[in-house]
Amino acid sequence: MALPGFLQRERIVARPGFNRWLIPPAALAVHLCIGQAYATSVYKAALVEDFGTSQTAIGIVFSIAIVMLGLSAALFGTWVDRNGPRAAMFTSACFWVSGFVVGGIGIQTGQLWLLYLGYGVIGGIGLGIGYISPVSTLIKWFPDRPGLATGMAIMGFGGGALVASPLSRQLMSWYDPAYDPATPGSVPSGAAVAALFFTFAAVYLVFMMFGAFIVRVPAEGWRPAGWDPASVKRKSLVTSESVSAANAVKTPQFWLLWVVLFCNVTAGIGILEQAAPMIQDFFRTGDTSTVAATAAAGFVGVLSLFNMAGRFVWSSTSDYIGRKPIYMVYLGVGLVLYVLLATVGSSATWLFVILAAVILSFYGGGFATIPAYLRDLFGTYQVGAIHGRLLTAWSAAGVAGPLIVNSVLDTQGEPGSLVAANYRPALFIMVGLLAVGFVANLLVRPVASKWHEPRHDDATTSPTPARSAVR
Amino acid sequence: MSTSISKEQSGDGQPAVHTPAAFIAFAWTLVGVPLAYGLYQTVKTASSLFTG
C-alpha cells in the first residue's frame, strides 16, 4: 500500500546543514510516550475493583501488550526500515493512541475484552513499531557514537514510566476527588481511569506527532564533520558490510545475541518483579520487617532511576570499550553481584540496595546497547528490522522472568512470611541464566562474508548495499 | 521543520538549511520538561527509602 506523500522517506531526507541534534528529541518524544507501558501498576487495583475481576485478569492486559510489542517489532521491522522513521512514528502514534481510546471505552462501558483489544493488542502494535522506529535512524545520524544515540532514545522508554506514574496519580485524583494517592488503600474509580486513558490519548498524540514531523534521515553518504569511517572499521567485530534482516536470522550471531538479551532481561525482571516485597522479606524477623512499606516503595524508585541511568551511561560507555566487553560486564559482573545478593545481601540494607541497583543498571544497559551491537555485526542496512526480530527475546523474558520467580517463591511459603533464604533458589537460577548469557556473548564472532549484501563498486565510503538504492 | 529552517545554497548545488538553535532548544525542552518532572517525582519517592 502506497504511503501518503508527507510520510514517504524521500520527503524527509535532510538537506546539507541540518543539525543532527534534532533527532534525539524526536526519538525521545516517541519513547517517553510508549514508556507508559511500564506504569500500568498505578491503576491496576482500580481496574480490578471496577471490573470485579482478579489481579491475573487485569495483569494479562500488560502481558498482551508486551507480547504484541515483540511480535509487531519482528513483523513490521522490515516495513519500518523501508519506509523510514516518520511513517513508523506516525503509524505507532495512531496505534498507541487508538489503543488508549478503545481501552478507555472498554473501561467506561465495562467491557474487559475491549481493554484487551485496545490497550493490549492495538496499543501493543504501537509499542513495537514505536520502540524500533527511531533506532536505525539514530544509528545512521550518529555513526561515531551509536551507543550514545540509542542509549538516549531507550533511556526515554525507561523515563516514560517515571513520567506516567506520578502524572497518572495526579490526573486520577483530579478526575475522582474521593481518590487520594497519599492514602494507602485509596483506589480511583473506573471512570477516572477511563478519563486518564482519554487524556493520555490526546497528550501522546501531540507528542508523538511532533517527533514524527521533526525527524529526518541523513542523505546517502552523509557523515559527521571530521569523522573517519576507517576509525570504526579498525575495531574488532565492527563491520562496514551490510546484512539483510532475512539473512541475519540465519546467522549464529543473531541467536547468540537473542540468548544474551533473553538472559539479561530475565535476570533483571527477577528483581523488578518482586522489588518491594523482596526488600521487606530480606530484612524480616518473624512477622515484621525492618524495612517499612514506604521505604520499600522508595526502593522501587531507586531501581527505576538506576534502570534509566544505566540505559544512557552504559550504552554510551560501550562506544569506548566496545559492545562485547560491555556485555561481559553486564553478564559477568552481574552474575557476581547476583551471587553476593543471594549470599550476603541480607547482612545490611545499604548493601542490598547497592547490589540490586547496579544489577538493574545492567538490565537497562543491556536493552540500550543491543541496537549498537547489532549495527556492529550486521551494518546499518536493516538494523531496525533485525532489532525488531531480536525483541522477541524481550517478550519471552517477560513471560519467563516472572514465571521463574513466582513459581519458586510459591514452593517456599506464603507471601508475608518469606525470608532471604526463600529467595536463594530463584536468585541462583538467575545466576545460571547469566552464566549462559556470558558464554553466548563470548562465542560472538564477526558474521561470515557469505551473508553480506552485494555492494556498489564505488561504494567505498557508504555501507549501503546496491539493493537499498532501488527501494 | 522545513518551514522554520532558513535555506541557502550549499557548495554542491543542493539547497542547504540552517536549523535554528532556538528550534533545537525548543525540541529538547519539550521532551526535557516531562522527563525532569518524572525524575523529580521518582527521586522524591526514592528518598523515602532513606527516611521512611
Side-chain angles (χ1 to χ4, degrees), chain A residues 115-396:
Chain A
L115 185 59
Y116 290 158
L117 174 70
Y119 191 89
V121 177
I122 301 173
I125 293 171
L127 268 179
I129 297 175
Y131 192 88
I132 59 171
S133 62
V135 169
S136 71
T137 303
L138 281 164
I139 287 174
K140 285 168 188 163
W141 274 113
F142 291 85
D144 47 339
R145 304 284 301 279
L148 168 90
T150 58
M152 269 190 285
I154 293 171
M155 175 191 75
F157 192 82
L162 300 194
V163 179
S165 293
L167 188 62
S168 299
R169 288 191 201 97
Q170 185 63 59
L171 288 170
M172 288 190 297
S173 70
W174 287 343
Y175 297 143
D176 179 5
Y179 167 61
D180 178 10
T183 307
S186 178
V187 176
S189 65
V193 183
L196 174 74
F197 270 44
F198 298 137
T199 309
F200 274 158
V203 173
Y204 289 159
L205 181 69
V206 172
F207 257 78
M208 293 174 84
M209 288 304 176
F210 175 75
F213 285 94
I214 65 169
V215 76
R216 296 285 184 278
V217 291
E220 194 73 24
W222 176 89
R223 70 176 67 153
W227 178 69
D228 177 14
S231 64
V232 174
K233 273 193 255 179
R234 279 197 296 272
K235 292 180 187 166
S236 62
L237 277 184
V238 181
T239 185
S240 59
E241 300 293 337
S242 299
V243 181
S244 69
N247 282 335
V249 295
K250 297 173 189 163
T251 65
Q253 286 81 359
F254 176 87
W255 293 105
L256 288 169
L257 288 193
W258 197 98
V259 171
V260 164
L261 185 65
F262 173 80
C263 294
N264 195 52
V265 175
T266 306
I269 288 176
I271 287 183
L272 266 182
E273 169 74 8
Q274 288 291 327
M278 190 177 179
I279 190 169
Q280 291 190 287
D281 291 341
F282 258 66
F283 299 96
R284 180 182 301 284
T285 317
D287 288 340
T288 55
S289 172
T290 55
V291 178
T294 49
F299 174 61
V300 176
V302 168
L303 294 188
S304 302
L305 290 173
F306 273 78
N307 177 11
M308 197 185 96
R311 290 167 191 250
F312 181 69
V313 173
W314 294 124
S315 186
S316 303
T317 307
S318 76
D319 286 334
Y320 297 100
I321 70 170
R323 256 52 88 171
K324 192 171 178 176
I326 200 93
Y327 273 92
M328 286 167 73
V329 173
Y330 298 158
L331 298 156
V333 178
L335 184 155
V336 173
L337 295 180
Y338 245 106
V339 170
L340 291 173
L341 192 74
T343 52
V344 296
S346 57
S347 58
T349 315
W350 64 266
L351 180 65
F352 179 88
V353 171
I354 288 173
L355 291 171
V358 179
I359 289 171
L360 258 293
S361 79
F362 291 160
Y363 165 81
F367 269 122
T369 317
I370 209 78
Y373 207 164
L374 292 171
R375 193 291 304 252
D376 289 356
L377 289 168
F378 302 108
T380 58
Y381 173 39
Q382 289 190 337
V383 69
I386 299 169
H387 184 219
R389 284 158 170 78
L390 199 78
L391 289 181
T392 50
W394 179 5
S395 296

Side-chain angles (χ1 to χ4, degrees), chain A residues 259 262-264 266-267 331-332 334-336 338-339 342 404 424-440:
Chain A
V259 171
F262 173 80
C263 294
N264 195 52
T266 306
L331 298 156
L335 184 155
V336 173
Y338 245 106
V339 170
I404 292 169
R424 279 190 195 121
L427 293 178
F428 280 116
I429 290 173
M430 299 305 173
V431 169
L433 272 171
L434 287 170
V436 171
F438 186 82
V439 172

Side-chain angles (χ1 to χ4, degrees), chain A residues 15-19 21-22 24-25 29 32 152 159 162-163 166-167 207 210 213-214 216 294-295 297-298 301-302 305 308 353, chain B residues 1-2 7 10 12 14-17 19 23-24 26-28 30-31 34-35 37-39 41-43 45-46 48-50 52:
Chain A
R15 292 178 181 155
F18 179 83
N19 191 319
W21 286 99
L22 209 47
L32 277 172
M152 269 190 285
L162 300 194
V163 179
L167 188 62
F207 257 78
F210 175 75
F213 285 94
I214 65 169
R216 296 285 184 278
T294 49
V302 168
L305 290 173
M308 197 185 96
V353 171
Chain B
M1 317 251 272
S2 57
K7 298 169 185 173
S10 72
D12 60 4
Q14 275 189 292
V17 294
T19 316
F23 187 63
I24 297 171
F26 169 73
W28 277 100
L30 199 70
V31 294
L35 195 55
Y37 161 79
L39 277 172
Q41 294 292 338
T42 310
V43 168
T45 308
S48 62
L49 174 62
F50 309 102

Side-chain angles (χ1 to χ4, degrees), chain A residues 1 3 39 61 63 66-67 78-79 107 137 146 168 209 245 261 271 301 350 383 399 421:
Chain A
M1 195 179 76
L3 287 171
V61 180
S63 302
I66 292 297
V67 169
T78 311
W79 180 88
I107 299 166
T137 303
S168 299
M209 288 304 176
L261 185 65
I271 287 183
W350 64 266
V383 69
V399 175

Side-chain angles (χ1 to χ4, degrees), chain A residues 49 286 314 356 449:
Chain A
E49 202 168 289
W314 294 124
S449 58

